[in-house]
Amino acid sequence: MKINDQEVAFEIEGKRYHCAMDITMDYIGGKWKTVVLWYLRNDKKRFGELRQLIPQITERMLSIQLKQLEEDGLVRREVFATKPPLKVDYSLTDFGRTLLPVLEAVAKWGRELGHSKGELVEIKSGLNKG
Amino acid sequence: MKINDQEVAFEIEGKRYHCAMDITMDYIGGKWKTVVLWYLRNDKKRFGELRQLIPQITERMLSIQLKQLEEDGLVRREVFATKPPLKVDYSLTDFGRTLLPVLEAVAKWGRELGHSKGELVEIKSGLNKG
DNA sequence: CAGAATCCGACAAGATACTG
DNA sequence: CAGTATCTTGTCGGATTCTG
């Protein structure tokens, strides 16, 4: 990366990265993005479906993550304004699909660690909202 | 993940995770861990070597990352107390090596995006310390 | 050489309440 | 149904200084 007095970097849409890991982690880093992308890997999902699939996420965080994923071109948002009850679908774009091998590797590693070292725990919760 | 009123989670060494992505990202998440692991993928490196390989990182952050990676069992720290000038080697453990497929996937995706969308930029810097 | 200690700002993320 | 708005807390990471 360093050539004498000069360093080399990549710029993608105004953002500067210093190596390949950097780039990828900027797209999928953080606590939620991989999880959201994972649940979109097969088919489109609605906002409420994602909420139920990821009980720990708040509406606020889900909203923010989806918006960022959309801005990054990984996720497509489709609105069907039927009546007052809105219908919004989220799905992976083709660009988002290029991430699938990465997501699969990440999921596989976690899954295997969970099986070898993890203990299964059950959490009772009367309703989702404690 | 949700079964009626109950949620299921994994516990690994006291930490609770709700899905596989969650587990992996806890180990390699953040701005630096993937980069550090990446530079250790082939051979052991000394603290100063890593600093030079990752010019953007501060000593503080490198120190913190290495300590966490060691606590997580991904990296091994070897000290050779020769004289006042310490010599410390960092290398991947066998457990750390299990991450290599993940790291390779992450690196590959970033590399390809860099090639297709990125612009190469050169950054002049008289010394590393601006 | 290889860190540790301290301080601090920025942002990530949680809790709660409200809306078109 | 699919979000916003507001407030608060927590953590990440940068800058600087010091040490065995």
Side-chain angles (χ1 to χ4, degrees), chain A residues 46-47 59 63 67 77 86 90:
Chain A
R46 300 180 60 174
F47 189 88
E59 290 180 347
S63 176
K67 192 172 297 180
R77 182 174 186 270
L86 264 289
Y90 292 94

Side-chain angles (χ1 to χ4, degrees), chain A residues 101 105-106 108-109, chain B residues 96-107:
Chain A
V106 170
K108 185 181 178 209
W109 194 85
Chain B
R97 301 211 155 272
T98 66
L99 267 173
L100 286 179
V102 180
L103 298 173
E104 273 155 21
V106 170

Side-chain angles (χ1 to χ4, degrees), chain A residues 32 35 46 48 54 56 61 64 75 78-79 92 107:
Chain A
W32 297 115
V35 182
R46 300 180 60 174
I54 316 171
Q56 293 77 6
M61 289 315 297
I64 290 175
V75 161
E78 289 174 293
V79 188
L92 292 188

Side-chain angles (χ1 to χ4, degrees), chain B residues 6-31:
Chain B
Q6 297 192 329
E7 295 169 21
V8 179
F10 273 99
E11 266 191 16
I12 301 177
E13 287 157 19
K15 288 185 175 179
R16 184 164 291 179
Y17 305 96
H18 80 283
C19 80
M21 314 302 274
D22 214 6
I23 298 178
T24 308
M25 294 311 280
D26 191 42
Y27 279 81
I28 67 170
K31 191 171 177 179

Side-chain angles (χ1 to χ4, degrees), chain B residues 46-48 59 63 77 90:
Chain B
R46 299 182 58 175
F47 189 88
E59 290 180 348
S63 175
R77 182 173 185 269
Y90 292 93

Side-chain angles (χ1 to χ4, degrees), chain B residues 7-8 20 28 30 34 37 63 69 75 98-99 107 111-112 115 125:
Chain B
E7 295 169 21
V8 179
I28 67 170
T34 51
L37 291 169
S63 175
L69 291 170
V75 161
T98 66
L99 267 173
R111 208 182 301 130
E112 287 174 358
H115 288 162
S125 62

